Structures are given as C-alpha cells and as structure tokens.
Amino acid sequence: MPHPRSLFNPRALALVALMGLSPTAAGSAPADLYYERSLMAEAGNRCGLFAPQVQSALVSAREQARGTALRAGSPPRDLQATFDRARARARSVPCDSQDIVIAAQRVRNAFEGYARLIRLDFPGDLYTWKADRSVSAQKVFWRLTQEVQQGEDQMRFGLAGRGGADNLMAVARFSTDEAPYAARIVMRNRSLTTGAYLDSRGESLRTLPLPRRLPKSGPYEGYVAEARSQAGTDLLPPGVRAGWAFRFPAQAAAAMADLDPRESIQVEFQFGSGSTRKIYVEVGDFAAGRAFLAARPS
C-alpha cells in the first residue's frame, strides 16, 4: 500500500499556483502544500465542485499537510493564519470562474484512483492508523484503528461501526483478570493552552515516548465512556480471546481531531480495587484518517 502522500500528486495543483491563487509553487514547502490543499478544499465545499469521494480526499490531504508542517517546525498559529488566507481566497473567487473550473478538473483527475481505495495506512512517529472504508449493514468492524501494546496490556483504539456509523471506541485486554468498570479519555485542554505539550528535553520529537506528549498535570479535558460491554471477537486485538469494549461520545473524536498530530491522549481504565491503568495513543494523522472515511469509495 503506498503512503497516502503519494496518492495526492502535487502537480495536480500546480495550475493553482500559476493562476495566482497560491503565493508559491505547489509542493515547495509543507506550509505551502497546506495552503494549496486548504484552498481547493474550501473552494470545493463552497462551490460544490467535487463528488464526496474527492472532497473527503482533499480534506484528508489537507490534514496530512498540516501534520507534516507541524512536524517540520511550523508554529500552529502560522498554520492557522495560512488556513485563514486560503479560506479567504477561496471565498473571493467566483465559483464559475475559468480558473476554478480548470483547477477543479485537474484535482478530479488526480483523485480518480484515490476514490476507489478501500484501505489506507497513515503512519505516525511511533504508531500507525489503519483506515478501512468498507461498509457492512450487519457486521461491526474497525474503520480507523491504532494497535497499542503497553507492557502486557493490549488495546485497539479508534473508530468502529456498522453501516458507516462510526463510534470512538477502546477495546482492551489486561494482564490481570480484573475487569475495568469505567474508562475515560484524557487530553490537553485546547481552550486553556496555546499548543501542544512536548517534553523533549533535547531528544528528537520523532522518537519521544507517548507519556511525554501529554501535560503532566493539566489542564486537561476528559470524556467518560458512554457504554461498556464485553468485546466481540471481531473487535479484539489479534490473538486476544476476551476483552472489554468502551464507547466514547462523538465530541471526543472531534476534539482529538483538533489536536496537534505530535501529541498523545491517555485512556484511563478504572478498576473496582481502586487501581487505574493508563494506555497512551498517538494522535498522529487521526484527522486525516477520519476525513478519508467521510465518503464511501466509488
């Protein structure tokens, strides 16, 4: 399976630069790619330029470009300003202008193969999100998942559902026989902080352990699981015969998608003995994977 970035051909947006809709040539820097993909995604949304498969592909590619730019050192505030410029430019160009018509056709051609993809991997620094756009009316299965092993504890985390309806879930198996009675997601509070907490202490951010990608003492925002049950075999991690499934509110997925891809979140499991087990998840390209799922392949 090719890396998602290879499926978005920057040359398809080169015309956008020539039209004066982009400040620089396509692909010249991560922040420039973010501008170009944001511009066409916003124009597509405003003018109804693309089929759902292409529009979701553009949004996914935009989020990947954002993650790449952040990992390359672009400040989050600068990227927000870049997005605002792209949105303003997209809103100022008439939907029926020849420039937009030509650029939109180039984008459609670039994504002809992408629209038929069923599965795609989104590699992160330490873990990978695996996306699956299959749809079943009978079977519940993972649509976007990250496999985590922490000591002897195993967890599958991500979006699972039936018939295209996705729920944020954690399915875990623990080294002890004790069953967790509750779970919650803990992440950086976005409204009370100015950006990601990354405790590098001179180390490479690309290899930074997940516990050091979350503030030690807050401020946090948390999301308590809405439901708990024994996990079905189709949702369990590989080789695991039994485990516990927790479903979280939709707001948790939206909040996670808004985080810096270099961050981590923490899933806390609480036991009747009073103990708590914490398992960490890399945010990575969760937002890009979520956008990939937004439309069924043609």
Side-chain angles (χ1 to χ4, degrees):
M1 181 66 65
H3 189 282
R5 192 173 295 112
S6 68
L7 298 170
F8 191 99
N9 182 0
R11 292 182 183 276
L13 289 183
L15 181 62
V16 179
L18 294 176
M19 294 186 307
L21 299 180
S22 172
T24 54
S28 59
D32 297 332
L33 269 181
Y34 181 56
Y35 177 93
E36 290 150 4
R37 294 173 180 184
S38 297
L39 189 155
M40 290 309 298
E42 288 297 304
N45 184 58
R46 170 177 167 248
C47 301
L49 298 174
F50 307 116
Q53 293 82 5
V54 175
Q55 184 66 27
S56 67
L58 268 172
V59 174
S60 180
R62 179 193 70 196
E63 294 305 310
Q64 281 186 281
R66 175 178 175 267
T68 300
L70 286 166
R71 292 184 181 104
S74 296
R77 289 183 179 180
D78 289 357
L79 290 180
Q80 182 60 50
T82 296
F83 176 78
D84 292 342
R85 289 198 308 273
R87 180 169 54 188
R89 187 58 179 146
R91 289 176 176 176
S92 70
V93 179
C95 292
D96 59 353
S97 73
Q98 189 66 13
D99 290 341
I100 284 291
V101 171
I102 294 173
Q105 187 56 51
R106 290 292 183 94
V107 171
R108 292 187 199 100
N109 294 341
F111 283 103
E112 183 178 352
Y114 188 102
R116 293 193 292 267
L117 287 175
I118 301 294
R119 299 176 182 86
L120 202 57
D121 289 351
F122 294 83
D125 289 338
L126 302 176
Y127 291 94
T128 295
W129 288 104
K130 293 183 176 293
D132 187 337
R133 292 205 292 189
S134 303
V135 175
S136 171
Q138 293 80 33
K139 179 183 176 183
V140 175
F141 66 98
W142 288 105
R143 299 242 296 152
L144 182 64
T145 181
Q146 186 175 128
E147 306 275 354
V148 182
Q149 179 144 3
Q150 198 167 293
E152 296 183 18
D153 298 334
Q154 289 179 267
M155 182 178 72
R156 271 185 169 181
F157 182 88
L159 299 173
R162 178 191 292 117
D166 300 327
N167 296 299
L168 187 65
M169 298 186 67
V171 174
R173 175 259 182 197
F174 300 95
S175 55
T176 63
D177 293 331
E178 191 177 8
Y181 71 86
R184 71 168 182 155
I185 293 173
V186 176
M187 65 181 72
R188 174 179 61 85
N189 189 308
R190 296 159 296 145
S191 64
L192 298 178
T193 54
T194 58
Y197 175 88
L198 302 168
D199 181 17
S200 62
R201 285 180 280 181
E203 296 184 28
S204 169
L205 292 177
R206 303 304 294 266
T207 58
L208 194 64
L210 295 185
R212 289 165 58 184
R213 297 171 182 239
L214 182 72
K216 292 181 179 179
S217 57
Y220 299 131
E221 56 183 300
Y223 297 88
V224 177
E226 298 174 320
R228 164 190 176 271
S229 65
Q230 287 191 318
T233 56
D234 49 350
L235 295 180
L236 288 167
V240 176
R241 295 185 177 182
W244 293 93
F246 291 87
R247 188 186 75 231
F248 297 93
Q251 296 93 322
M256 185 175 172
D258 195 41
L259 291 172
D260 188 307
R262 298 169 295 177
E263 293 185 78
S264 67
I265 66 167
Q266 176 181 287
V267 186
E268 288 185 354
F269 297 92
Q270 298 170 338
F271 297 84
S273 63
S275 63
T276 300
R277 306 290 279 272
K278 302 175 181 179
I279 300 181
Y280 294 88
V281 175
E282 181 180 354
V283 172
D285 280 334
F286 177 77
R290 193 166 170 245
F292 175 77
L293 299 180
R296 294 178 60 181
S298 59

